Amino acid sequence: MSNRKLNVFLPLLFAVVLALGMFLGHKMPGSNNGGATVFFAKPSKGPLQEVMDLIKAKYVDSLNTDDLQQEAIDGLLSHLDPHSIYIPPSELQRVNEDMEGNFEGIGVEFNITADTVNVVSVLSGGPSETAGVQTGDKILKVNDSLVAGNNITPDRIRKLLRGPAGSLVNTVILRQQKKIQVPIKRGVIPLYSVDASYMAAPGVGYIKISKFSATTYDEFMKAIRVLDKQGMKKLIIDLRQNPGGYLDAATRIADELLGDDKLIVYTKGKDFPRTDYKTKRPGMFEKGSLAVLTDEGSASASEILSGAIQDWDRGTIIGRRTFGKGLVQEQYDLDNGGALRLTVARYYIPSGRSIQKPYGKGHDDYDEDIAERYHHGELVNKDSIKITDTVIYKTAAGRTVYGGGGITPDIFIPFDTSRFTPTLTAIYTRNTFSNFAYQYYTSHRDAFKSYKNAEDFIKSYQPGADLFNEFREYAKKDSVPGMDHLGPRDEKEIHQRLKAMLARQLYRTEGFYEAINADDPMMKKALEVVEKEKD
């Protein structure tokens, strides 16, 4: 283009740009107040933040504004669903560790009795075992902090023992009346979510899942492979008291149990488009009898897994109606170091039913739901289950299933109310079983060395009269009432629980569940069901 043509064209170009700019400026929101301010003005704080700022700057007395802000946030969230929650900075690390499936520490389980920190068990292969810590040791000092006889709390001892992997913690331990110094190099400690897996009967495997964390699927697959090598043809999955967790963990496990291209669950919300989660690959246990154990403590991801199995008629759900949590939360980090866990959608299982129970009567009513089920009789009588959803839902095979909150089992097993006599309730609330089992084991350690494994212990060990009498005297000193007037049912419960707690002391949760399930009504029914079914 020549210089002459350019000189003619430029004024025209500037005029067009100026006219376009004036037109757009006039059309922009706020243009009547000076269109240019749209690009630079800060957004309004809103009345809530304005009030907080005024209180900080002008209020007559000094206030803890952090507490004030938390109360304001809690008040705001109380008008939403019960699962939209604020996690303060002090709690966020613990919450995240629980879901991630690990933390950084020394790898011991402890209890506190008589103001003393007792090592109840030592993680195999963990930092404490490497350093020579033993079950029965008493921790007196952690670095420069005295923790014995000092009103120590579980939270405080955890904070002292935990720290970055690779860092050193110096402890002073009392062992057989001798003080010894034990330096421990902290490491990454797994928080297992598969509490137990074993062969419950010839050909029948059992897997107990306590939550759905980032490591649950890998733990489940490891258990499945071990059981498969032991001849497993039928499977029982125990989801009792499992509060849920990551959706991904539940859907990946469902993929191992269901056939190809089957819908597991879908999510949908006002500003959250429908998202389907389907099976994607051949699973490890798509064939073979399957039973799933549930109760009123089974929630969220537990309900997705059990609901998908029920809707596809893949297995039998045994137990009691599940909790009824079918809301999807996303977690948003906040500038103060806390987080907001906000509900953004609902879960729907393959039959189209929502898992979520009603929450329109407020948080208090929602929180009292399980107690209301107990008083209404639902935990002991299937006919007392309140079905609030009138829509008829069908499984793949045409069976009727129920909405309105939670998964209603195919086979109902009542809650055993006889277990909660005043004496047994006192024993459980005082943690008497656990404390006694620890004390008894540490003072009779040699007597348990002959047992090869948990299976051998369950088959061979029987709590005798000496053990029972020793426990009776221990419970009396622990202010448990009625120990001299026990009925047959109480005595049976005490014998069963003592054996299970000693098995836990010896073989951790694996031993506990193998022992306690031997006399469990729900487990007995599951074995009966899967053994009747053809492979």
Side-chain angles (χ1 to χ4, degrees), residues 68-138:
L68 201 62
Q69 282 182 323
Q70 179 154 349
E71 286 183 26
I73 293 168
D74 290 342
L76 183 66
L77 295 178
S78 70
H79 293 279
L80 307 182
D81 68 279
H83 299 291
S84 290
I85 59 169
Y86 168 65
I87 306 169
S90 60
E91 291 291 313
L92 187 59
Q93 182 180 356
R94 180 189 60 79
V95 171
N96 287 343
E97 284 175 349
D98 196 46
M99 292 307 299
E100 289 305 314
N102 62 68
F103 66 94
E104 294 176 336
I106 68 168
V108 297
E109 184 180 342
F110 65 87
N111 69 15
I112 299 175
T113 54
D115 220 10
T116 302
V117 180
N118 304 287
V119 176
V120 173
S121 65
V122 181
L123 178 70
S124 178
S128 288
E129 185 181 67
T130 302
V133 178
Q134 299 176 9
T135 298
D137 287 347
K138 302 178 189 305

Side-chain angles (χ1 to χ4, degrees), residues 198-363:
Y198 64 93
M199 294 298 289
V204 182
Y206 167 90
I207 300 177
K208 167 69 178 177
I209 307 174
S210 62
K211 62 187 172 189
F212 289 90
S213 71
T215 60
T216 302
Y217 173 74
D218 290 337
E219 292 177 54
F220 178 82
M221 291 305 294
K222 180 180 178 182
I224 280 279
R225 292 186 184 104
V226 170
L227 293 174
D228 187 57
K229 288 178 180 177
Q230 294 176 359
M232 179 184 70
K233 302 296 181 186
K234 306 164 188 285
L235 176 62
I236 298 168
I237 299 176
D238 192 344
L239 299 179
R240 288 176 288 181
Q241 296 299 307
N242 181 324
Y246 286 136
L247 170 64
D248 180 66
T251 56
R252 292 177 75 189
I253 289 173
D255 203 345
E256 299 297 330
L257 306 170
L258 298 171
D260 294 344
D261 199 33
K262 286 191 172 358
L263 179 66
I264 300 167
V265 66
Y266 66 90
T267 56
K268 188 172 65 172
K270 177 175 68 70
D271 297 308
F272 198 94
R274 172 168 170 160
T275 304
D276 288 2
Y277 298 83
K278 294 184 176 182
T279 57
K280 299 175 182 176
R281 58 188 177 273
M284 278 284 291
F285 197 76
E286 290 184 4
K287 306 291 183 184
S289 299
L290 176 65
V292 179
L293 310 184
T294 67
D295 66 8
E296 53 285 341
S298 308
S300 190
S302 295
E303 297 173 289
I304 290 167
L305 179 57
S306 55
I309 287 169
Q310 187 179 59
D311 281 358
W312 286 110
D313 300 289
R314 171 64 186 90
T316 306
I317 311 302
I318 299 171
R320 294 184 292 277
R321 181 164 68 106
T322 59
F323 182 87
K325 180 187 179 296
L327 298 174
V328 185
Q329 284 77 46
E330 287 190 348
Q331 188 164 307
Y332 301 93
D333 293 333
L334 303 177
D335 288 343
N336 72 341
L340 175 66
R341 193 171 284 176
L342 188 67
T343 296
V344 296
R346 282 181 167 80
Y347 291 122
Y348 298 86
I349 50 178
S351 61
R353 50 190 169 140
S354 168
I355 300 164
Q356 182 62 42
K357 62 187 176 185
Y359 54 85
K361 294 182 180 179
H363 289 200

Side-chain angles (χ1 to χ4, degrees), residues 436-452:
F436 173 80
Y438 166 76
Q439 179 180 294
Y440 187 85
Y441 168 74
T442 54
S443 58
H444 297 79
R445 199 187 303 254
D446 291 342
F448 294 100
K449 288 183 177 178
S450 61
Y451 300 104
K452 295 179 291 185

Side-chain angles (χ1 to χ4, degrees), residues 296-297 323 357 366-375 379:
E296 53 285 341
F323 182 87
K357 62 187 176 185
Y366 187 86
D367 292 340
E368 292 296 318
D369 174 63
I370 301 300
E372 173 58 27
R373 292 190 202 183
Y374 176 79
H375 293 303
L379 301 190

Side-chain angles (χ1 to χ4, degrees), residues 459-480:
K459 287 180 178 177
S460 307
Y461 181 78
Q462 291 301 327
D466 290 345
L467 173 70
F468 185 83
N469 290 331
E470 197 169 328
F471 175 77
R472 188 199 301 270
E473 294 307 310
Y474 183 91
K476 285 182 187 178
K477 290 177 183 176
D478 205 19
S479 302
V480 173

